[in-house]
Amino acid sequence: MKVLVPVKRVIDYNVKVRVKADGSGVDLANVKMSMNPFDEIAVEEAIRLKEKGAVEEIVVVSIGVKQAQETLRTALAMGADRAILVVAADDVHQDIEPLAVAKILAKIVEEEQPGLVIAGKQAIDNDMNATGQMLSALLGWGQATFASEVEIAGDAAKVTREVDGGLQTISVKLPAIITADLRLNEPRYASLPNIMKAKKKPLDEKTAADYGVDVSPRLEVVKTAEPAGRSAGIKVGSVDELVAKLKDAGVV
Amino acid sequence: MAVLLIAEVNGADLALDATAKAVSAAKALGDVTVLVAGSGIGGAADAAAKIAGVSKVLSADDAAYAHGLAEPLADLVVSLAGGYSHIVAPSTASAKNALPRIAALLDVMVISDVTGVVDADTFERPIYAGNAIQTVKSKDATKVLTVRTASFEAAGEGGSASVEAAAAAGDKGLSAWVEDKVAASDRPELTSAKIVVSGGRGVGSEESFGIIAALADKLGAAVGASRAAVDSGFAPNDWQVGQTGKVVAPELYIACGISGAIQHLAGMKDSKIIVAINKDEEAPIFQVADFGLVADLFDAVPELTSKL
Ligand SMILES: Cc1cc2nc3c(=O)[nH]c(=O)nc-3n(C[C@H](O)[C@H](O)[C@H](O)COP(=O)(O)OP(=O)(O)OC[C@H]3O[C@@H](n4cnc5c(N)ncnc54)[C@H](O)[C@@H]3O)c2cc1C
């Protein structure tokens, strides 16, 4: 079976985000960018399935600016076999919406015919939590989102999902889309020899136009603002003082 | 303008708080019809009809909807979607599962985690773990959105909407339910509790979480956790508060042994009063805490429990 894993280049999760003074967006110039953490988990899961013998080939795809090539190289260094870069934006500040991303991925799925797509459950920049679900709708496939455990069993995948009340296990027919949650696995680091080897792995470069997909946004960003600030209060010296403060505030 | 609001259903019961909060957000957009989908949900449909501001309830009572599987639910909603300008649901795990699928089937973008309704086309939502608030204007014919329950007050009771049966839309059998692992608890639900007591990595073990739970029980509070506490196996996944867990805004949030990473703050910084108990006076959680106590939680938390 072939697995397709879409990966997104996003601001590194450790970087403090700054809203631009003119309200036009978030400042991404000269900040550290990394693979979306949930996508790292998705890549890792694909590699583990390959190590178990359930998967033969892992194809990673990134849709965005040309620099997403680095993100694909990281995935290749972790253990993916082949990469497809779809250049759909020139400016790092231009985010391609999940619907457009899903449409491009659907075209790639038609060409590549994977038996499974594993995506991250959400990207930590736009926090939309949508691409996997949208892709499965466009393909008419089943979906197993927020996965914390995946087991391939014949022509189905048994997936445990993190839901509001605890955990839910479902069985989804293959081909299907799985989206990875935090506790699915702990992604490996790429070793130096593997980083070197990844430079020689195939990376195809395409554009959104190659797939005939219009990536213009459906949601116009009117403005981007700082959230309401919260200032530090006071330090109390003892539990007694804390109890007194909470009683004064009327919350206990 | 007409809104189709998808009620949150747990088993066969209406999740009243989450649904009533979404009704508050939806009322501003138009006439609200609530869809209750599930199996044996007659009582849930009646409960939804009593929420103030609901004008009609559609009850889709069919085994296909018993476990909230996204594919049949999405097909049902799409079959009903004609005539509605907005499709709205509270931002729960089940809505986050189904609404993007519904949006893609309608060829529209989904607008996730709305925290403010500006007008019928324009919405506010947090991005980058709440480090920025984006205002977006949708150009789509149908607006599909999930609303963050922590940002809206629950609509009251006193409605008397009519309840109509909605025809089921079939099940293609793409996925099947196997089992649920849901821990029964007498504590209030995390997202609707007035007080939340949370523990982090500093709590150290699953057994030690008992002191967090004891304080919570003394206060009639829900228990929360940081990702580190969940990843370490001290607490179950459904207790996680944060960017990728639950978002809460209680009257009082007590963070014990939590450092205050931005991903955690994203889930609790709109709480009315924040208390932090941490032995490191430099911990970033103190920058958002109204009352900070620099102390070992193993001394301070039991003492607090006994003195309240
Ligand atoms: C993609 C992504 C998503 C994430 N989503 C979330 C999320 O939704 N929610 C979330 O919480 N995190 C999330 N995180 C993780 C987040 O970045 C932090 O790693 C996490 O919140 C840290 O948890 P913590 O504060 O419990 O642990 P630590 O940062 O290790 O802090 C432990 C604290 O306990 C204190 N302490 C230790 N012992 C004691 C004691 N005896 N008494 C008092 N204090 C003590 C220490 O001083 C320290 O401040 C996410 C990360 C990523 C990359």
Side-chain angles (χ1 to χ4, degrees), chain A residues 68-196:
Chain A
Q69 219 185 83
E70 295 154 25
T71 314
L72 289 168
R73 290 285 172 208
T74 306
L76 292 171
M78 287 173 73
D81 298 296
R82 188 153 69 75
I84 302 170
L85 170 68
V86 183
V87 178
D90 307 322
D91 180 354
V92 291
H93 294 92
Q94 190 189 339
D95 191 35
I96 310 296
E97 287 175 349
L99 182 61
V101 169
K103 286 182 176 181
I104 294 171
L105 289 173
K107 298 278 187 191
I108 296 175
V109 165
E110 268 171 35
E111 279 178 20
E112 295 283 342
Q113 299 282 321
L116 180 65
V117 176
I118 311 180
K121 83 161 179 182
Q122 95 191 53
I124 60 163
D125 51 3
N126 65 30
D127 279 334
M128 276 286 185
N129 191 336
T131 303
Q133 297 91 315
M134 291 189 136
L135 177 61
S136 63
L138 298 177
L139 295 169
W141 289 7
Q143 66 184 55
T145 53
F146 324 149
S148 65
E149 212 181 314
V150 172
E151 198 187 305
I152 305 294
D155 59 357
K158 196 170 150 199
V159 179
T160 300
R161 310 177 51 234
E162 295 203 356
V163 295
D164 286 342
L167 297 169
Q168 180 190 54
T169 304
I170 63 171
S171 168
V172 58
K173 276 192 191 145
L174 298 177
I177 316 282
I178 293 173
T179 75
D181 213 321
L182 291 170
R183 279 162 285 274
L184 183 54
N185 59 52
E186 254 184 73
R188 71 194 64 192
Y189 292 101
S191 67
L192 200 57
N194 285 344
I195 293 172
M196 299 314 288

Side-chain angles (χ1 to χ4, degrees), chain A residues 15-27 221-231, chain B residues 115 124-135 262 269-270:
Chain A
V15 172
K16 173 95 184 78
V17 169
R18 285 208 336 270
V19 175
K20 287 199 254 179
D22 65 0
S24 65
V26 157
D27 197 355
V221 177
V222 180
K223 70 169 189 222
T224 305
E226 293 268 1
R230 190 168 183 124
S231 44
Chain B
T115 52
E124 290 171 354
R125 57 180 302 271
I127 55 173
Y128 292 95
N131 282 300
I133 307 294
Q134 202 168 56
T135 305
I262 51 168
K269 70 176 161 38
D270 293 330

Side-chain angles (χ1 to χ4, degrees), chain B residues 83-296:
Chain B
Y84 294 101
S85 55
H86 296 76
I87 296 173
V88 176
S91 275
T92 57
S94 55
K96 287 177 184 169
N97 188 28
L99 263 74
R101 188 177 181 98
I102 293 164
L105 292 173
L106 297 172
D107 193 24
V108 304
M109 250 307 279
V110 68
I111 311 166
S112 309
D113 263 332
V114 166
T115 52
V117 175
V118 178
D119 61 38
D121 308 320
T122 315
F123 306 94
E124 290 171 354
R125 57 180 302 271
I127 55 173
Y128 292 95
N131 282 300
I133 307 294
Q134 202 168 56
T135 305
V136 293
K137 187 173 162 105
S138 169
K139 298 173 195 161
D140 284 319
T142 309
K143 279 77 179 159
V144 175
L145 47 134
T146 59
V147 301
R148 197 172 258 201
T149 51
S151 304
F152 296 90
E153 297 286 332
E157 299 212 11
S160 55
S162 60
V163 179
E164 283 174 24
D171 182 2
K172 299 194 185 93
L174 295 170
S175 60
W177 174 80
V178 177
E179 67 171 337
D180 286 331
K181 279 204 188 109
V182 176
S185 163
D186 295 334
R187 295 196 188 102
E189 217 200 322
L190 193 50
T191 51
S192 55
K194 295 249 174 305
I195 304 179
V196 174
V197 183
S198 282
R201 196 196 311 270
V203 177
S205 69
E206 191 181 355
E207 300 75 65
S208 305
F209 241 81
I211 66 170
I212 303 295
L215 174 57
D217 291 340
K218 185 76 178 269
L219 291 166
V223 186
S226 70
R227 173 189 174 183
V230 177
D231 284 5
S232 310
F234 307 165
N237 65 281
D238 50 302
W239 290 5
Q240 183 179 311
V241 170
Q243 178 186 18
T244 54
K246 288 182 178 144
V247 178
V248 302
E251 303 282 315
L252 174 61
Y253 187 91
I254 306 181
C256 311
I258 293 178
S259 62
I262 51 168
Q263 293 86 4
H264 188 78
L265 300 185
M268 45 64 80
K269 70 176 161 38
D270 293 330
S271 304
K272 293 229 170 58
I273 290 183
I274 297 174
V275 170
I277 301 175
N278 196 304
K279 67 178 181 190
D280 172 11
E281 63 176 323
E282 302 291 325
I285 189 80
F286 288 123
Q287 292 162 18
V288 298
D290 298 280
F291 305 120
L293 178 62
V294 181
D296 190 312

